[in-house]
Amino acid sequence: MPYSFLFTTTLLLLIGYGSLNLIVLWAYPRQLFPYRGSTYDSLPGLSSTQSSTGEKVAWIYQPASDADAPVLLYFHGNGEDLGTNTERFAWFNELGYSVIALDYPGYGQSSGSPTAENVRAAANAVWEEAQERYGVHAQDTVVWGRSLGGAPAIFIASQHPFRGLVLEATFRSVLSMVPLPFPLLLTEPFPSEDLIASVEGPIFLFHGELDRTIPATHSQRLAEANPGTTLYLYPDGSHNDLRHIGRADMQATLAKLRITPPDPLLSPAQTTGE
């Protein structure tokens, strides 16, 4: 085989591989953060803070009726913002939790663009200000992440000893969502599977087996990475209906997490919800 043919073939393969990396690098933020504009002008408890990357971060604090209620720090999904989650926030309040939630950079009334770095900085900024302004503590706070929100939820839960972590239909990493038979050269923006191993306290994962957006295998891999995990799988559940299909299990989980010290029922386990 002529040397020139081998050289040309190798060069074309390298160019193709490099181009594929660039395409994924360009495409992933657009696929990961498909947001089309704010759904609200004002909300109860709405305020803003500035992150370490210089962005304005919109966030809310909506207290429960009980002044001693625990706190739920919520991270929403990719096509949502604070305005589309008002019913969910009211549900958390009804279950006895004060609610803190934020909009990622570029979402709602937050400025900037939604990159992994900016999202992590926004999460840190809101948590720090919530502690300073409202005196909340990690041991009195449950972190909840839905879909995309699972990534910043796992990130911040790996930094502090929160009371518990709840994950709803989330992914183990961004690059694992790319169906390629070989690895890319890109740095993983949200290495959730690695970070969840260092999360202290109980973890609860909810996933539908009919989820075509994020397959249930992602939650299974996350559960395997931390022995303190309880996994609920729903044979009839898809990506956007878990709050209804898994409602009883979710409410029971939040009821258990309201108990201090943690209830013995929170010992590490893996279960399947029916």
Side-chain angles (χ1 to χ4, degrees):
M1 185 176 294
Y3 171 79
S4 59
F5 176 79
L6 288 174
F7 176 80
T8 302
T9 301
T10 302
L11 181 61
L12 290 175
L13 288 173
L14 289 174
I15 291 173
Y17 182 62
S19 299
L20 180 61
N21 277 270
L22 291 174
I23 290 171
V24 174
L25 181 63
W26 175 85
Y28 99 76
R30 292 156 180 81
Q31 296 299 315
L32 193 61
F33 302 106
Y35 179 65
R36 295 182 174 84
S38 179
T39 66
Y40 64 94
D41 293 319
S42 63
L43 292 169
L46 179 66
S47 61
S48 66
T49 189
Q50 187 176 48
S51 73
S52 62
T53 57
E55 308 299 348
K56 168 192 170 184
V57 184
W59 66 290
I60 61 159
Y61 174 72
Q62 295 181 352
S65 56
D66 181 359
D68 296 323
V71 174
L72 193 145
L73 174 59
Y74 184 74
F75 295 91
H76 62 66
N78 65 5
E80 308 168 0
D81 63 13
L82 294 175
T84 60
N85 280 280
T86 54
E87 181 183 349
R88 184 177 283 253
F89 300 154
W91 180 54
F92 292 144
N93 279 156
E94 291 171 4
L95 295 176
Y97 283 82
S98 296
V99 176
I100 295 172
L102 63 140
D103 267 331
Y104 313 128
Y107 281 60
Q109 294 185 15
S110 295
S111 66
S113 58
T115 65
E117 179 186 7
N118 286 347
V119 169
R120 287 190 288 267
N124 279 333
V126 168
W127 175 242
E128 290 170 5
E129 180 152 329
Q131 292 177 91
E132 181 178 342
R133 187 185 300 187
Y134 299 110
V136 301
H137 302 285
Q139 63 267 27
D140 298 322
T141 303
V142 174
V143 180
W144 186 306
R146 181 182 119 71
S147 190
L148 167 67
I154 292 171
F155 162 74
I156 201 162
S158 70
Q159 312 297 311
H160 308 280
F162 288 102
R163 179 177 294 198
L165 172 64
V166 180
L167 301 169
E168 179 185 348
T170 195
F171 53 86
R172 63 187 181 91
S173 68
V174 173
L175 295 182
S176 67
M177 300 286 290
V178 182
L180 294 175
F182 46 81
L184 297 173
L185 297 175
L186 305 177
T187 300
E188 170 58 49
F190 287 120
S192 295
E193 189 174 357
D194 294 332
L195 291 176
I196 200 170
S198 62
V199 172
E200 300 177 8
I203 304 171
F204 297 86
L205 288 90
F206 297 86
H207 218 121
E209 294 186 14
L210 299 181
D211 193 329
R212 298 294 179 263
T213 303
I214 302 174
T217 52
H218 283 257
S219 280
Q220 291 172 315
R221 289 285 295 270
L222 289 171
E224 291 169 2
N226 191 309
T229 299
T230 300
L231 172 63
Y232 291 92
L233 294 176
Y234 300 95
D236 298 325
S238 58
H239 192 66
N240 293 315
D241 60 4
L242 292 186
R243 189 162 72 89
H244 304 290
I245 288 180
R247 189 181 188 91
D249 292 323
M250 290 179 175
Q251 291 187 170
T253 295
L254 289 179
K256 293 172 185 177
L257 288 172
R258 290 186 69 236
I259 301 172
T260 304
D263 189 286
L265 293 176
L266 294 181
S267 59
Q270 290 205 357
T271 63
T272 301
E274 299 295 330

